[in-house]
Amino acid sequence: MKGYNEAFQDIPGTVVFDATQSRLGYHLNQFCMSLMKADNRAAFKAGERAYLERWPMTEEQRQAVLDRDYNRMIALGGNIYFLAKIGATDGFSFQNLASKMTGVPEDEYKAMMVAGGRPIEGNRSKTGKAK
Amino acid sequence: MARITAGLTTSHIPAVGAAIDLGKTGEPYWKPVFAGYEFSKRWIAEHMPDVVVLVYNDHASAFSLEMIPTFAIGCAESFQPADEGWGPRPVPVVQGHPELAWHIAQSTILDEFDMTIVNRMDVDHGLTVPLSLLFGQPAAWPCKVIPLAVNVVQYPPPTGNRCWNLGRAISKAVASFDRDLKVMVWGTGGMSHQLQGPRAGLINRDFDTRFLDGLTKDPEALAKIPHVEYVREAGSEGIELVMWLIMRGALERAAREVHRFYHVPASNTAVGHIILENPPR
């Protein structure tokens, strides 16, 4: 088990949803979970700030939701399967969220996928230790 | 006695379910995806199981962060399609097989697997998309389904080796069930994909091909792949592939590949699908 969590840190552009992230993001993710109910989606849309105040999140987490900054939400403990419910509430597909997280326009992201996806070469390791 | 006749694996991409539900399967983008399942639909019609043990993961639908079971077996009479935020998929209610499910739960727990027994659980795209891919759009699913939900969202998920061994324990459980039933085990999820962060969109065809080959050539080696290798090589959501090892562990070593399909992309994901048959008895 020694080094289990550390080993993931060498992987670029990836946050593993471990105990630390899960504790950090508990209320953020449970807020996302609430968006599975139509009434809650309507309440959130009617007043995002007020709805977010109901959840004991950090102000940073609330701001990241308001900004729809998914990478920031992930850094603050959000898990993508939970965060996708915000995207669904906004009426966006997973590919739209992916384009936001990768910082490229959606049509460019889609074209990359059709061309075979993001290549593994050059995307394995931050330090170059993993070949 | 009950007997495992075959196993299969397939990706369970939500956009594939949406394409089926919205009648888009003939569109140029989707046509090659569904073409890969044409053989499989004919095959399963000829080899219809009585029960499918369907290994999948819940995507924050039935389980939030309040409770996170590593292995959860559905023992209910039936399971409703989950509302994942757009309303439930327009698919039939999933009919369970409580007698066999309870038998598997008892047998595997006595074999030292600490299963969570679930009597009420909505099932999301992870379970219903594979059913749609194999059975199309019937008014009722043509067989019973025992949902087996595996945690691959919260780290740590179970190891590949643990999944492999659980498959073996399921095989033993099925073989000791005193009813004449044809049972299949399906492993779903994968293949390479990453849905989060700046590396989203990662696809690794070489890794996926080696994994597909390994299912018949050297499944024991696949069972030794550590989590970090899945995440690095197959993307953060590629970790779902550990679920395929439950299927593989449940089949005999001499199982034979009868169909394989691989296609990039469906939405953000590499679609992988393989059918393995146990030797005839």
Side-chain angles (χ1 to χ4, degrees):
Chain A
M1 185 161 141
K2 193 169 179 294
Y4 177 86
N5 297 300
E6 290 73 19
F8 295 106
Q9 288 166 10
D10 182 46
I11 302 170
T14 305
V15 177
V16 163
F17 191 64
D18 60 8
T20 305
Q21 291 307 107
S22 190
R23 291 180 63 200
L24 199 61
Y26 182 79
H27 293 293
L28 169 60
N29 289 313
Q30 293 299 89
F31 144 73
C32 293
M33 206 67 198
S34 78
L35 299 177
M36 287 178 72
K37 293 204 170 79
D39 290 353
N40 291 337
R41 290 196 288 272
F44 174 62
K45 281 182 181 169
E48 295 196 1
R49 161 66 64 181
Y51 190 83
L52 289 168
E53 298 285 349
R54 295 192 211 164
W55 299 84
M57 282 183 245
T58 65
E59 191 47 38
E60 253 184 314
Q61 288 172 325
R62 290 194 187 105
Q63 195 57 50
V65 175
L66 293 170
D67 295 343
R68 299 298 191 271
D69 185 341
Y70 286 89
N71 286 336
R72 187 88 191 118
M73 286 187 255
I74 289 169
L76 297 173
N79 173 278
I80 191 61
Y81 288 127
F82 290 81
L83 301 179
K85 298 176 196 307
I86 303 173
T89 301
D90 290 337
F92 289 127
S93 69
F94 237 118
Q95 284 206 322
N96 180 280
L97 303 194
S99 88
K100 288 189 172 87
M101 290 183 286
T102 56
V104 298
E106 194 174 345
D107 54 356
E108 208 175 295
Y109 180 83
K110 282 183 175 169
M112 175 185 79
M113 292 315 300
V114 169
R118 184 181 305 285
I120 183 70
E121 288 73 26
N123 285 307
R124 279 196 172 89
S125 170
K126 289 180 192 166
T127 59
K129 269 189 280 186
K131 294 279 184 242
Chain B
M1 299 301 262
R3 172 164 190 264
I4 295 176
T5 55
L8 64 82
T9 63
T10 176
S11 308
H12 57 217
I13 304 148
V16 167
I20 295 169
D21 300 341
L22 301 172
K24 292 182 176 173
T25 57
E27 291 184 0
Y29 182 89
W30 289 111
K31 213 171 172 176
V33 173
F34 293 100
Y37 290 84
E38 284 306 314
F39 169 88
S40 317
K41 286 173 141 177
R42 291 193 303 272
W43 173 84
I44 203 150
E46 287 166 20
H47 299 84
M48 189 57 73
D50 298 300
V51 188
V52 170
V53 176
L54 205 157
V55 182
Y56 75 110
N57 66 290
D58 178 78
H59 304 76
S61 303
F63 301 118
S64 69
L65 295 183
E66 286 182 9
M67 273 179 277
I68 309 166
T70 297
F71 296 118
I73 183 163
C75 294
E77 293 282 349
S78 63
F79 305 89
Q80 297 291 329
D83 181 346
E84 299 179 51
W86 309 267
R89 287 192 64 213
V91 293
V93 172
V94 172
Q95 301 299 325
H97 197 298
E99 295 87 354
L100 180 58
W102 276 101
H103 175 81
I104 292 173
Q106 168 161 327
S107 179
T108 52
I109 289 168
L110 293 177
D111 258 344
E112 304 185 338
F113 290 85
D114 307 316
M115 309 296 284
T116 298
I117 293 161
V118 183
N119 283 313
R120 202 183 83 180
M121 178 165 71
D122 289 352
V123 287
D124 72 12
H125 68 267
L127 183 130
T128 61
V129 167
L131 291 174
S132 298
L133 280 168
L134 272 292
F135 298 131
Q137 296 176 289
W141 298 121
C143 64
K144 310 279 192 189
V145 177
I146 297 174
L148 202 171
V150 179
N151 164 48
V152 291
V153 174
Q154 173 70 63
Y155 274 71
T159 63
N161 190 54
R162 186 68 171 161
C163 289
W164 164 263
N165 283 322
L166 177 60
R168 292 171 59 123
I170 289 170
S171 159
K172 189 173 147 193
V174 170
S176 65
F177 188 64
D178 196 12
R179 289 256 300 272
D180 198 19
L181 290 177
K182 277 198 285 186
V183 179
M184 281 187 193
V185 181
W186 294 9
T188 72
M191 295 194 85
S192 58
H193 65 307
Q194 173 146 345
L195 302 176
Q196 57 136 323
R199 203 172 75 134
L202 186 92
I203 298 287
N204 189 342
R205 182 181 283 266
D206 290 344
F207 178 91
D208 291 342
T209 305
R210 283 199 302 277
F211 202 89
L212 287 163
D213 289 344
L215 286 172
T216 47
K217 280 186 188 153
D218 195 359
E220 292 86 354
L222 298 186
K224 294 193 183 85
I225 297 174
H227 289 156
V228 67
E229 189 174 331
Y230 285 103
V231 179
R232 189 174 55 231
E233 297 295 325
S236 49
E237 279 63 44
I239 190 70
E240 290 176 349
L241 286 167
V242 297
M243 295 187 290
W244 289 28
L245 296 171
I246 297 178
M247 179 288 290
R248 188 59 191 94
L251 264 73
E252 293 173 30
R253 185 62 182 83
R256 183 175 70 94
E257 177 178 330
V258 295
H259 179 61
R260 181 196 291 210
F261 174 60
Y262 185 78
H263 175 80
V264 178
S267 186
N268 302 283
T269 305
V271 180
H273 169 46
I274 203 163
I275 299 177
L276 304 181
E277 279 180 8
N278 265 344
R281 203 171 44 184

